[in-house]
């Protein structure tokens, strides 16, 4: 993350994202992200992790999940303006 407090890993098979301690690599938390989390982006203030859940054009159940990085809780899906 930009504030160097954590590293994030998409766990596609389990539908989760893992938060790791950036210094030690220790697992800090697992958060449900929905089916097939693949790509991760974090906001500049390190407050929100965006998790894309698609491979091709959007299909039912795919989208972009959001995770509150302070609490590790799932947030409502993120929608980009078109």
């Amino acid at each position: 993350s930009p504030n160097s407090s954590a590293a994030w890993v998409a766990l596609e098979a389990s539908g989760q994202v893992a938060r790791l301690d950036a210094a030690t690599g220790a697992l800090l938390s697992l958060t449900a992200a929905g089916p097939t989390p693949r790509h991760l982006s974090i906001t500049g203030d390190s407050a929100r992790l965006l998790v894309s859940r698609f491979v091709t054009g959007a299909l039912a159940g795919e989208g972009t999940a959001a995770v509150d990085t302070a609490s590790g809780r799932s947030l409502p899906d993120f929608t980009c303006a078109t």
Side-chain angles (χ1 to χ4, degrees):
S1 63
N3 67 9
S4 302
S5 65
W8 295 87
V9 179
L11 304 173
E12 186 175 358
S14 66
Q16 298 174 305
V17 291
R19 181 172 58 149
L20 308 175
D21 182 286
T24 67
L27 178 64
L28 300 174
S29 66
L30 292 172
T31 302
T36 63
R38 301 204 78 193
H39 305 101
L40 306 176
S41 296
I42 195 160
T43 56
D45 61 3
S46 298
R48 189 181 303 186
L49 178 74
L50 305 176
V51 185
S52 66
R53 300 187 316 243
F54 53 89
V55 180
T56 59
L59 300 173
E62 295 179 331
T64 301
V67 174
D68 180 290
T69 59
S71 67
R73 293 184 315 169
S74 293
L75 298 171
D77 282 2
F78 181 81
T79 303
C80 295
T82 57

